[in-house]
Amino acid sequence: MTDPRSTDPRLERLRARIPGLRLSTDASDAEHYGRDWTRRWTPAPLAIALPSSVEEVRAVVLWAVEENVSVVPSGGRTGLSGGAVAANGELVLSLERMNRVLDFDAVDRTLTVQAGIALEAVHNAAGEHGLVYPVDFAARGSCSIGGNVATNAGGIRVIRYGNTREWVAGLKVVTGAGDVLELNRALIKNSSGYDLRQLIIGSEGTLGIVVEATLRLTDPPPPTNVMLLALPSFDTLMQVFAAFRARLTLEAFEFFTDRALHHVLAHGAQKPFDEVHPFYVVTEFAVGDEAREAAAMAAFEHCLENGLVSDGVISQSDAQAAQLWRLREGITESLAKYRPYKNDVSVRISAMPAFLAETQALLAREYPQFDVVWFGHIGDGNLHINVLKPEADTDADFIVQCEHVTKLLAQALARHGGSISAEHGIGLVKKPYLLGTRSAEEVELMRGIKRVLDPKGLLNPGKVFDA
Ligand code: FAD
Ligand code: MLT
Ligand code: ZN
């Protein structure tokens, strides 16, 4: 039977308008390109367009404006909040064929890339010039720079280098009106009006389609060591952080619980300690000289003597460092088969101890029967809470229970001045809670900004907020 979408007159007009455009209405492509890692919504896009140039992207947007078709910008679809989901007859606009490095500038230390390039390919390209692009996280092999920009991705090195936002020198963007904007000209200093580049960063495909990005690069870090720490209780976590941060230049400070370790070990990672401990930290810090090595030992000994940690291991080789990192970086993949309900929350570091205590009590009370896995970028004040669905529960019942708890969590976040999304974005998943983090006036302003850049409301409609 012919898929009715393949003969849709709107698509026929699109084909006529852009004869070279790669366009698919295959059911398997719809399934593949219509969802992200949330796996909660059933994909139902009109079609998938895979342009190969800025001109084609622009022409697709102009067609969408004429035909009133919604467009879902799509990168690697590793997103965790439903931002790239196309479940309502939208056109998926995948940037995956626009994946080239366009330019390296040694003087400016910038790399200009097409938006569909994978984060890892950017790491490799920077490395070829003896430099680094320091945004990093486990999805590096499949997430795209366009997606990173659209979500202002964070990751495991934010504590040292900041979020994606800090590393974007310039952007080329196609707006919802089909205008092509060159934003910031990769300038370091540019005090000439509103910085629209920063507005696009984190806008989750609702204001414009990122087609190119000029990224800042930096020097490689000094040699580092990785340490895994076992903690006796949650209460000591932020004290351990303070002890390490006071003595060392931290490249990362990440935490996870015994439940997280349990799942990573079941997924093939190697057991780090004979005993089971309730909490763990993976931290990476600069070494390379005697003073730094002594400072690392001093931090560890201080924590041990004061009962803040109960055990620790330090990497002796790159292979061992990678093994320790796998315990933290393998968590998301090890949980994927459970399709966990994910919270991705943040508070200021100073608010973390009180927020953690309250949240721990809240989750113990509200989720007595669920496997709740905690981990995250605790050095940035960012906590990931993953709730696994019991086999006996239906998807719908499970989500209802998790949303009830998320409402309570959002109230706790409001009290502690936090955010319902630290780094994954609002997408569809966190839309009901946006007003806990942002005021009604702010959200109204966001709507107004969207109307300016996307007058017909065709770019990723229904994501972040409703029109
Ligand atoms: P997609 O999922 O394809 O899209 C995400 C959003 O961006 C959608 O709203 C989409 O419409 C929009 N978008 C995509 N491309 C464009 C474009 N060119 N122009 C405009 N809008 C666009 N995230 C973190 O921040 N930190 C982490 O540590 C982290 N770790 C992860 C680990 C794993 C194993 C996985 C699976 C995910 C992780 N993520 C993390 C989440 C995810 O990888 C990031 O959100 C990433 O930035 C998404 O990139 P993507 O290309 O996959 O985007
Ligand atoms: C992580 O920190 O590992 C990512 O944000 C992914 C996740 O939260 O699952
Ligand atoms: Zn994260």
Side-chain angles (χ1 to χ4, degrees):
M1 197 173 69
T2 318
D3 182 337
R5 287 173 303 196
S6 62
T7 53
D8 186 300
R10 295 168 298 174
L11 295 178
E12 283 174 11
R13 288 192 287 274
L14 179 59
R15 285 190 192 95
R17 189 172 184 141
I18 319 171
L21 179 67
R22 193 176 293 177
L23 195 64
S24 171
T25 51
D26 268 16
S28 62
D29 282 343
E31 185 72 18
H32 178 68
Y33 289 94
R35 62 172 81 217
D36 65 2
W37 266 56
T38 50
R39 309 274 186 279
R40 200 195 292 178
W41 289 270
T42 307
L46 170 67
I48 298 94
L50 298 117
S52 62
S53 66
V54 176
E55 293 67 34
E56 283 193 351
V57 173
R58 180 166 184 266
V60 169
V61 170
L62 290 174
W63 163 86
V65 168
E66 242 173 70
E67 302 280 357
N68 246 325
V69 173
S70 299
V71 173
V72 176
S74 182
R77 289 170 311 285
T78 64
L80 300 170
S81 52
V85 167
N88 294 302
E90 305 93 333
L91 181 84
V92 173
L93 195 153
S94 165
L95 278 295
E96 79 178 25
R97 293 179 66 217
M98 294 175 61
N99 60 1
R100 282 182 302 119
V101 173
L102 299 175
D103 187 38
F104 166 70
D105 192 308
V107 177
D108 291 330
R109 294 180 135 198
T110 55
L111 193 72
T112 299
V113 297
Q114 291 181 308
I117 192 169
L119 173 60
E120 191 168 51
V122 168
H123 291 161
N124 294 340
E128 281 167 22
H129 300 287
L131 295 168
V132 296
Y133 177 67
V135 176
D136 194 17
F137 49 94
R140 60 183 73 81
S142 35
C143 69
S144 70
I145 286 296
N148 295 175
V149 169
T151 56
N152 185 25
I156 56 177
R157 297 187 189 275
V158 171
I159 193 171
R160 176 86 171 86
Y161 300 100
N163 300 291
T164 297
R165 189 179 292 293
E166 272 77 39
W167 297 91
V168 176
L171 287 179
K172 189 181 279 190
V173 172
V174 178
T175 70
D179 296 324
V180 180
L181 306 179
E182 301 250 12
L183 303 176
N184 197 52
R185 301 177 173 183
L187 294 166
I188 293 171
K189 302 188 76 170
N190 183 7
S191 188
S192 63
Y194 305 152
D195 191 342
L196 300 179
R197 160 195 55 158
Q198 293 295 353
L199 188 59
I200 294 294
I201 299 170
S203 65
E204 300 185 49
T206 62
L207 297 181
I209 297 162
V210 177
V211 286
E212 288 174 18
T214 299
L215 305 171
R216 294 191 203 294
L217 307 179
T218 188
D219 290 316
T224 57
N225 268 349
V226 177
M227 202 185 266
L228 177 72
L229 303 165
L231 276 60
S233 95
F234 220 177
D235 304 336
T236 69
L237 180 57
M238 299 314 286
Q239 294 175 61
V240 174
F241 175 56
F244 272 73
R245 190 166 66 161
R247 293 169 176 82
L248 297 162
T249 306
L250 296 180
E251 296 277 323
F253 192 91
E254 300 274 316
F255 128 95
F256 52 95
T257 59
D258 59 335
R259 289 309 300 162
L261 183 66
H262 164 85
H263 289 287
V264 180
L265 295 181
H267 209 65
Q270 222 166 316
K271 197 172 173 191
F273 300 114
D274 290 335
E275 296 80 29
V276 174
H277 302 268
F279 302 98
Y280 300 90
V281 160
V282 169
T283 179
E284 185 168 335
F285 43 81
V287 285
D289 60 41
E290 270 180 35
R292 283 169 159 166
E293 309 223 345
M297 287 326 294
F300 179 67
E301 277 160 16
H302 167 86
C303 291
L304 202 58
E305 280 159 17
N306 289 283
L308 305 178
V309 302
S310 27
D311 209 344
V313 49
I314 190 161
S315 61
Q316 305 293 336
S317 64
D318 287 353
Q320 220 177 16
Q323 228 171 53
L324 295 179
W325 262 120
R326 186 177 172 194
L327 300 173
R328 164 64 183 89
E329 288 215 284
I331 298 171
T332 304
E333 188 126 18
S334 76
L335 302 181
K337 67 176 175 193
Y338 301 101
R339 287 195 292 138
Y341 183 92
K342 282 176 179 285
N343 291 120
D344 157 44
V345 299
S346 66
V347 293
R348 282 173 298 133
I349 297 166
S350 58
M352 205 34 131
F355 175 71
L356 281 179
E358 193 174 326
T359 303
Q360 203 180 15
L362 169 74
L363 299 193
R365 189 182 73 229
E366 297 291 335
Y367 284 139
Q369 75 286 28
F370 290 173
D371 188 2
V372 182
V373 181
W374 298 57
F375 57 102
H377 319 282
I378 207 75
D380 313 324
N382 177 188
L383 192 63
H384 296 311
I385 302 162
N386 282 219
V387 190
L388 309 195
K389 188 179 86 61
E391 257 179 50
D393 279 22
T394 64
D395 283 1
D397 285 348
F398 174 65
I399 298 288
V400 166
Q401 293 183 70
C402 294
E403 301 217 312
H404 163 70
V405 180
T406 299
K407 230 176 267 166
L408 302 175
L409 186 62
Q411 289 165 9
L413 284 163
R415 281 194 298 280
H416 292 275
S419 171
I420 193 70
S421 176
E423 58 173 9
H424 297 161
I426 295 292
L428 290 171
V429 173
K430 286 162 252 164
K431 197 166 64 167
Y433 316 102
L434 181 64
L435 278 168
T437 297
R438 310 297 293 264
S439 69
E441 291 80 2
E442 278 183 287
V443 175
E444 206 36 51
L445 280 172
M446 290 189 210
R447 287 199 179 94
I449 290 167
K450 181 164 172 69
R451 281 195 290 273
V452 172
L453 284 162
D454 178 23
K456 291 188 87 177
L458 297 175
L459 292 184
N460 229 359
K463 311 292 169 56
V464 187
F465 48 75
D466 288 316

